[in-house]
mmCIF file of all heavy atoms in Angstrom:
data_model
loop_
_atom_site.group_PDB
_atom_site.id
_atom_site.type_symbol
_atom_site.label_atom_id
_atom_site.label_comp_id
_atom_site.label_asym_id
_atom_site.label_seq_id
_atom_site.Cartn_x
_atom_site.Cartn_y
_atom_site.Cartn_z
ATOM 1 N N THR A 1 84.077 88.336 118.862
ATOM 2 C CA THR A 1 83.359 87.129 119.259
ATOM 3 C C THR A 1 82.719 87.320 120.635
ATOM 4 O O THR A 1 82.955 88.317 121.322
ATOM 5 C CB THR A 1 84.308 85.925 119.298
ATOM 6 O OG1 THR A 1 85.290 86.147 120.319
ATOM 7 C CG2 THR A 1 85.009 85.739 117.956
ATOM 8 N N SER A 2 81.943 86.335 121.029
ATOM 9 C CA SER A 2 81.252 86.416 122.325
ATOM 10 C C SER A 2 82.222 86.375 123.500
ATOM 11 O O SER A 2 81.849 86.753 124.615
ATOM 12 C CB SER A 2 80.239 85.283 122.439
ATOM 13 O OG SER A 2 80.889 84.027 122.350
ATOM 14 N N ASP A 3 83.459 85.925 123.273
ATOM 15 C CA ASP A 3 84.467 85.938 124.340
ATOM 16 C C ASP A 3 85.547 86.980 124.070
ATOM 17 O O ASP A 3 86.698 86.849 124.501
ATOM 18 C CB ASP A 3 85.076 84.548 124.535
ATOM 19 C CG ASP A 3 85.613 83.946 123.232
ATOM 20 O OD1 ASP A 3 85.454 84.595 122.177
ATOM 21 O OD2 ASP A 3 86.178 82.844 123.274
ATOM 22 N N ASP A 4 85.194 88.015 123.311
ATOM 23 C CA ASP A 4 86.012 89.215 123.109
ATOM 24 C C ASP A 4 87.294 88.998 122.310
ATOM 25 O O ASP A 4 88.261 89.757 122.442
ATOM 26 C CB ASP A 4 86.352 89.884 124.450
ATOM 27 C CG ASP A 4 85.147 90.578 125.070
ATOM 28 O OD1 ASP A 4 84.162 90.815 124.342
ATOM 29 O OD2 ASP A 4 85.184 90.880 126.279
ATOM 30 N N LYS A 5 87.318 88.011 121.442
ATOM 31 C CA LYS A 5 88.406 87.890 120.484
ATOM 32 C C LYS A 5 88.071 88.734 119.256
ATOM 33 O O LYS A 5 86.898 88.967 118.954
ATOM 34 C CB LYS A 5 88.601 86.435 120.069
ATOM 35 C CG LYS A 5 89.059 85.518 121.190
ATOM 36 C CD LYS A 5 89.134 84.080 120.704
ATOM 37 C CE LYS A 5 89.544 83.141 121.832
ATOM 38 N NZ LYS A 5 89.540 81.719 121.395
ATOM 39 N N ILE A 6 89.081 89.192 118.537
ATOM 40 C CA ILE A 6 88.885 89.958 117.306
ATOM 41 C C ILE A 6 89.504 89.156 116.168
ATOM 42 O O ILE A 6 90.710 88.886 116.174
ATOM 43 C CB ILE A 6 89.537 91.352 117.377
ATOM 44 C CG1 ILE A 6 88.998 92.139 118.578
ATOM 45 C CG2 ILE A 6 89.310 92.114 116.074
ATOM 46 C CD1 ILE A 6 87.521 92.468 118.507
ATOM 47 N N ILE A 7 88.682 88.768 115.192
ATOM 48 C CA ILE A 7 89.182 87.929 114.108
ATOM 49 C C ILE A 7 88.651 88.398 112.751
ATOM 50 O O ILE A 7 87.592 89.022 112.663
ATOM 51 C CB ILE A 7 88.800 86.441 114.315
ATOM 52 C CG1 ILE A 7 87.285 86.272 114.316
ATOM 53 C CG2 ILE A 7 89.401 85.879 115.585
ATOM 54 C CD1 ILE A 7 86.858 84.816 114.372
ATOM 55 N N ALA A 8 89.400 88.063 111.704
ATOM 56 C CA ALA A 8 88.974 88.339 110.333
ATOM 57 C C ALA A 8 88.133 87.154 109.854
ATOM 58 O O ALA A 8 88.647 86.055 109.693
ATOM 59 C CB ALA A 8 90.183 88.525 109.431
ATOM 60 N N VAL A 9 86.862 87.403 109.639
ATOM 61 C CA VAL A 9 85.966 86.341 109.177
ATOM 62 C C VAL A 9 86.032 86.197 107.661
ATOM 63 O O VAL A 9 85.866 85.114 107.113
ATOM 64 C CB VAL A 9 84.514 86.621 109.640
ATOM 65 C CG1 VAL A 9 83.533 85.617 109.049
ATOM 66 C CG2 VAL A 9 84.441 86.582 111.156
ATOM 67 N N ASP A 10 86.262 87.278 106.965
ATOM 68 C CA ASP A 10 86.391 87.263 105.508
ATOM 69 C C ASP A 10 87.631 88.070 105.146
ATOM 70 O O ASP A 10 88.154 88.826 105.978
ATOM 71 C CB ASP A 10 85.144 87.859 104.854
ATOM 72 C CG ASP A 10 85.045 87.556 103.366
ATOM 73 O OD1 ASP A 10 85.928 86.840 102.845
ATOM 74 O OD2 ASP A 10 84.102 88.036 102.723
ATOM 75 N N SER A 11 88.092 87.945 103.935
ATOM 76 C CA SER A 11 89.216 88.780 103.500
ATOM 77 C C SER A 11 89.174 88.956 101.996
ATOM 78 O O SER A 11 88.903 88.008 101.259
ATOM 79 C CB SER A 11 90.556 88.148 103.899
ATOM 80 O OG SER A 11 90.900 87.090 103.040
ATOM 81 N N LYS A 12 89.416 90.181 101.575
ATOM 82 C CA LYS A 12 89.654 90.469 100.166
ATOM 83 C C LYS A 12 91.018 91.136 100.093
ATOM 84 O O LYS A 12 91.218 92.228 100.639
ATOM 85 C CB LYS A 12 88.586 91.381 99.570
ATOM 86 C CG LYS A 12 88.854 91.694 98.104
ATOM 87 C CD LYS A 12 87.735 92.479 97.458
ATOM 88 C CE LYS A 12 88.052 92.733 95.990
ATOM 89 N NZ LYS A 12 86.977 93.469 95.293
ATOM 90 N N VAL A 13 91.958 90.470 99.445
ATOM 91 C CA VAL A 13 93.324 90.969 99.354
ATOM 92 C C VAL A 13 93.682 91.160 97.882
ATOM 93 O O VAL A 13 93.539 90.239 97.080
ATOM 94 C CB VAL A 13 94.323 89.995 100.018
ATOM 95 C CG1 VAL A 13 95.755 90.440 99.767
ATOM 96 C CG2 VAL A 13 94.054 89.901 101.514
ATOM 97 N N THR A 14 94.122 92.360 97.554
ATOM 98 C CA THR A 14 94.593 92.670 96.211
ATOM 99 C C THR A 14 96.046 93.103 96.315
ATOM 100 O O THR A 14 96.376 94.025 97.062
ATOM 101 C CB THR A 14 93.757 93.791 95.576
ATOM 102 O OG1 THR A 14 92.385 93.396 95.538
ATOM 103 C CG2 THR A 14 94.223 94.080 94.158
ATOM 104 N N LEU A 15 96.908 92.425 95.574
ATOM 105 C CA LEU A 15 98.342 92.705 95.624
ATOM 106 C C LEU A 15 98.761 93.581 94.448
ATOM 107 O O LEU A 15 98.191 93.500 93.363
ATOM 108 C CB LEU A 15 99.141 91.403 95.588
ATOM 109 C CG LEU A 15 98.855 90.394 96.702
ATOM 110 C CD1 LEU A 15 99.703 89.151 96.509
ATOM 111 C CD2 LEU A 15 99.106 91.001 98.077
ATOM 112 N N ASP A 16 99.774 94.404 94.679
ATOM 113 C CA ASP A 16 100.354 95.230 93.623
ATOM 114 C C ASP A 16 101.173 94.323 92.716
ATOM 115 O O ASP A 16 102.206 93.773 93.122
ATOM 116 C CB ASP A 16 101.236 96.309 94.249
ATOM 117 C CG ASP A 16 101.852 97.247 93.222
ATOM 118 O OD1 ASP A 16 101.735 96.970 92.006
ATOM 119 O OD2 ASP A 16 102.451 98.251 93.634
ATOM 120 N N GLY A 17 100.722 94.166 91.468
ATOM 121 C CA GLY A 17 101.393 93.268 90.543
ATOM 122 C C GLY A 17 102.825 93.658 90.251
ATOM 123 O O GLY A 17 103.663 92.809 89.921
ATOM 124 N N ASN A 18 103.145 94.942 90.396
ATOM 125 C CA ASN A 18 104.506 95.398 90.130
ATOM 126 C C ASN A 18 105.499 94.935 91.193
ATOM 127 O O ASN A 18 106.709 95.049 91.000
ATOM 128 C CB ASN A 18 104.540 96.927 90.043
ATOM 129 C CG ASN A 18 103.740 97.444 88.864
ATOM 130 O OD1 ASN A 18 103.856 96.922 87.772
ATOM 131 N ND2 ASN A 18 102.915 98.447 89.084
ATOM 132 N N SER A 19 104.992 94.436 92.315
ATOM 133 C CA SER A 19 105.886 94.004 93.403
ATOM 134 C C SER A 19 106.054 92.495 93.461
ATOM 135 O O SER A 19 106.805 91.990 94.300
ATOM 136 C CB SER A 19 105.325 94.484 94.747
ATOM 137 O OG SER A 19 104.164 93.736 95.105
ATOM 138 N N LEU A 20 105.390 91.775 92.578
ATOM 139 C CA LEU A 20 105.390 90.318 92.687
ATOM 140 C C LEU A 20 106.752 89.699 92.422
ATOM 141 O O LEU A 20 107.002 88.553 92.808
ATOM 142 C CB LEU A 20 104.343 89.724 91.738
ATOM 143 C CG LEU A 20 102.881 90.004 92.124
ATOM 144 C CD1 LEU A 20 101.947 89.444 91.074
ATOM 145 C CD2 LEU A 20 102.564 89.419 93.487
ATOM 146 N N TYR A 21 107.650 90.434 91.781
ATOM 147 C CA TYR A 21 108.991 89.889 91.538
ATOM 148 C C TYR A 21 109.713 89.602 92.853
ATOM 149 O O TYR A 21 110.625 88.765 92.906
ATOM 150 C CB TYR A 21 109.814 90.865 90.683
ATOM 151 C CG TYR A 21 110.250 92.122 91.407
ATOM 152 C CD1 TYR A 21 111.489 92.191 92.037
ATOM 153 C CD2 TYR A 21 109.412 93.233 91.468
ATOM 154 C CE1 TYR A 21 111.893 93.336 92.709
ATOM 155 C CE2 TYR A 21 109.806 94.375 92.137
ATOM 156 C CZ TYR A 21 111.037 94.425 92.752
ATOM 157 O OH TYR A 21 111.424 95.557 93.424
ATOM 158 N N ARG A 22 109.328 90.260 93.931
ATOM 159 C CA ARG A 22 109.962 89.994 95.227
ATOM 160 C C ARG A 22 109.060 89.184 96.154
ATOM 161 O O ARG A 22 109.367 89.050 97.350
ATOM 162 C CB ARG A 22 110.387 91.305 95.891
ATOM 163 C CG ARG A 22 109.286 92.305 96.136
ATOM 164 C CD ARG A 22 109.887 93.610 96.627
ATOM 165 N NE ARG A 22 108.885 94.630 96.891
ATOM 166 C CZ ARG A 22 109.169 95.912 97.082
ATOM 167 N NH1 ARG A 22 110.423 96.313 97.032
ATOM 168 N NH2 ARG A 22 108.216 96.789 97.331
ATOM 169 N N HIS A 23 107.971 88.675 95.616
ATOM 170 C CA HIS A 23 107.067 87.808 96.386
ATOM 171 C C HIS A 23 106.694 86.606 95.516
ATOM 172 O O HIS A 23 105.539 86.452 95.091
ATOM 173 C CB HIS A 23 105.800 88.562 96.796
ATOM 174 C CG HIS A 23 106.034 89.740 97.687
ATOM 175 N ND1 HIS A 23 106.463 89.618 98.996
ATOM 176 C CD2 HIS A 23 105.903 91.066 97.459
ATOM 177 C CE1 HIS A 23 106.575 90.825 99.537
ATOM 178 N NE2 HIS A 23 106.246 91.718 98.623
ATOM 179 N N LYS A 24 107.653 85.764 95.250
ATOM 180 C CA LYS A 24 107.415 84.629 94.362
ATOM 181 C C LYS A 24 106.327 83.710 94.897
ATOM 182 O O LYS A 24 105.561 83.108 94.135
ATOM 183 C CB LYS A 24 108.714 83.832 94.169
ATOM 184 C CG LYS A 24 109.887 84.644 93.612
ATOM 185 C CD LYS A 24 109.598 85.203 92.231
ATOM 186 C CE LYS A 24 110.827 85.917 91.670
ATOM 187 N NZ LYS A 24 110.552 86.551 90.369
ATOM 188 N N ASP A 25 106.259 83.582 96.238
ATOM 189 C CA ASP A 25 105.235 82.725 96.831
ATOM 190 C C ASP A 25 103.841 83.285 96.604
ATOM 191 O O ASP A 25 102.887 82.533 96.377
ATOM 192 C CB ASP A 25 105.501 82.527 98.322
ATOM 193 C CG ASP A 25 105.725 83.849 99.064
ATOM 194 O OD1 ASP A 25 106.016 84.876 98.405
ATOM 195 O OD2 ASP A 25 105.637 83.846 100.312
ATOM 196 N N TYR A 26 103.702 84.601 96.638
ATOM 197 C CA TYR A 26 102.404 85.206 96.368
ATOM 198 C C TYR A 26 102.055 85.106 94.888
ATOM 199 O O TYR A 26 100.901 84.869 94.518
ATOM 200 C CB TYR A 26 102.377 86.671 96.796
ATOM 201 C CG TYR A 26 102.612 86.909 98.277
ATOM 202 C CD1 TYR A 26 103.010 88.158 98.736
ATOM 203 C CD2 TYR A 26 102.448 85.890 99.207
ATOM 204 C CE1 TYR A 26 103.237 88.393 100.084
ATOM 205 C CE2 TYR A 26 102.663 86.116 100.555
ATOM 206 C CZ TYR A 26 103.068 87.371 100.989
ATOM 207 O OH TYR A 26 103.285 87.595 102.331
ATOM 208 N N ALA A 27 103.056 85.307 94.032
ATOM 209 C CA ALA A 27 102.822 85.231 92.584
ATOM 210 C C ALA A 27 102.296 83.852 92.202
ATOM 211 O O ALA A 27 101.477 83.719 91.282
ATOM 212 C CB ALA A 27 104.102 85.539 91.825
ATOM 213 N N ALA A 28 102.742 82.816 92.926
ATOM 214 C CA ALA A 28 102.301 81.448 92.639
ATOM 215 C C ALA A 28 100.833 81.231 92.994
ATOM 216 O O ALA A 28 100.229 80.232 92.596
ATOM 217 C CB ALA A 28 103.168 80.450 93.397
ATOM 218 N N MET A 29 100.245 82.161 93.737
ATOM 219 C CA MET A 29 98.838 82.042 94.121
ATOM 220 C C MET A 29 97.881 82.483 93.008
ATOM 221 O O MET A 29 96.660 82.327 93.141
ATOM 222 C CB MET A 29 98.547 82.898 95.365
ATOM 223 C CG MET A 29 99.247 82.436 96.622
ATOM 224 S SD MET A 29 98.836 83.532 98.019
ATOM 225 C CE MET A 29 99.697 82.724 99.369
ATOM 226 N N ARG A 30 98.402 83.021 91.939
ATOM 227 C CA ARG A 30 97.543 83.535 90.870
ATOM 228 C C ARG A 30 96.639 82.438 90.318
ATOM 229 O O ARG A 30 97.085 81.327 90.022
ATOM 230 C CB ARG A 30 98.399 84.097 89.742
ATOM 231 C CG ARG A 30 97.589 84.710 88.606
ATOM 232 C CD ARG A 30 98.495 85.168 87.478
ATOM 233 N NE ARG A 30 97.732 85.753 86.382
ATOM 234 C CZ ARG A 30 98.242 86.045 85.193
ATOM 235 N NH1 ARG A 30 99.525 85.802 84.953
ATOM 236 N NH2 ARG A 30 97.490 86.571 84.251
ATOM 237 N N ASP A 31 95.364 82.753 90.174
ATOM 238 C CA ASP A 31 94.383 81.813 89.621
ATOM 239 C C ASP A 31 93.889 82.381 88.291
ATOM 240 O O ASP A 31 92.982 83.211 88.249
ATOM 241 C CB ASP A 31 93.211 81.625 90.594
ATOM 242 C CG ASP A 31 92.222 80.568 90.136
ATOM 243 O OD1 ASP A 31 92.355 80.082 88.996
ATOM 244 O OD2 ASP A 31 91.305 80.236 90.912
ATOM 245 N N VAL A 32 94.499 81.925 87.200
ATOM 246 C CA VAL A 32 94.156 82.481 85.887
ATOM 247 C C VAL A 32 92.745 82.096 85.458
ATOM 248 O O VAL A 32 92.162 82.753 84.584
ATOM 249 C CB VAL A 32 95.175 82.046 84.812
ATOM 250 C CG1 VAL A 32 96.543 82.625 85.090
ATOM 251 C CG2 VAL A 32 95.244 80.526 84.702
ATOM 252 N N SER A 33 92.161 81.053 86.062
ATOM 253 C CA SER A 33 90.790 80.676 85.710
ATOM 254 C C SER A 33 89.790 81.745 86.124
ATOM 255 O O SER A 33 88.659 81.770 85.630
ATOM 256 C CB SER A 33 90.426 79.331 86.357
ATOM 257 O OG SER A 33 90.316 79.449 87.769
ATOM 258 N N GLU A 34 90.190 82.639 87.041
ATOM 259 C CA GLU A 34 89.317 83.715 87.496
ATOM 260 C C GLU A 34 89.490 84.983 86.657
ATOM 261 O O GLU A 34 88.791 85.966 86.873
ATOM 262 C CB GLU A 34 89.611 84.042 88.964
ATOM 263 C CG GLU A 34 89.165 82.977 89.937
ATOM 264 C CD GLU A 34 87.659 82.920 90.099
ATOM 265 O OE1 GLU A 34 87.004 83.970 89.997
ATOM 266 O OE2 GLU A 34 87.131 81.816 90.305
ATOM 267 N N GLU A 35 90.430 84.969 85.729
ATOM 268 C CA GLU A 35 90.718 86.154 84.925
ATOM 269 C C GLU A 35 90.162 86.002 83.519
ATOM 270 O O GLU A 35 89.835 84.895 83.078
ATOM 271 C CB GLU A 35 92.230 86.384 84.868
ATOM 272 C CG GLU A 35 92.879 86.572 86.232
ATOM 273 C CD GLU A 35 94.388 86.713 86.146
ATOM 274 O OE1 GLU A 35 94.887 87.167 85.097
ATOM 275 O OE2 GLU A 35 95.066 86.358 87.120
ATOM 276 N N ASP A 36 90.055 87.121 82.826
ATOM 277 C CA ASP A 36 89.630 87.114 81.438
ATOM 278 C C ASP A 36 90.663 86.357 80.608
ATOM 279 O O ASP A 36 91.847 86.695 80.602
ATOM 280 C CB ASP A 36 89.498 88.561 80.936
ATOM 281 C CG ASP A 36 88.963 88.643 79.519
ATOM 282 O OD1 ASP A 36 89.735 88.327 78.594
ATOM 283 O OD2 ASP A 36 87.797 89.030 79.345
ATOM 284 N N ALA A 37 90.215 85.313 79.893
ATOM 285 C CA ALA A 37 91.144 84.444 79.156
ATOM 286 C C ALA A 37 91.939 85.218 78.102
ATOM 287 O O ALA A 37 93.124 84.948 77.885
ATOM 288 C CB ALA A 37 90.371 83.301 78.500
#
């Protein structure tokens, strides 16, 4: 930024589906409407 902060303006995050059993909160973020039905 103009005052020398460093920030993430956008983000693309892809999670390893095999690890979701230990990240129940992340698994709940799944949006099936974005996937092939």
Side-chain angles (χ1 to χ4, degrees):
T1 64
S2 60
D3 53 357
D4 288 343
K5 295 176 182 176
I6 303 295
I7 62 174
V9 174
D10 195 2
S11 77
K12 179 174 181 179
V13 173
T14 302
L15 302 179
D16 182 351
N18 295 315
S19 72
L20 291 177
Y21 72 93
R22 58 187 180 193
H23 298 291
K24 303 298 184 184
D25 51 342
Y26 299 161
M29 294 180 177
R30 182 184 180 191
D31 185 352
V32 295
S33 69
E34 289 288 328
E35 301 176 27
D36 184 286

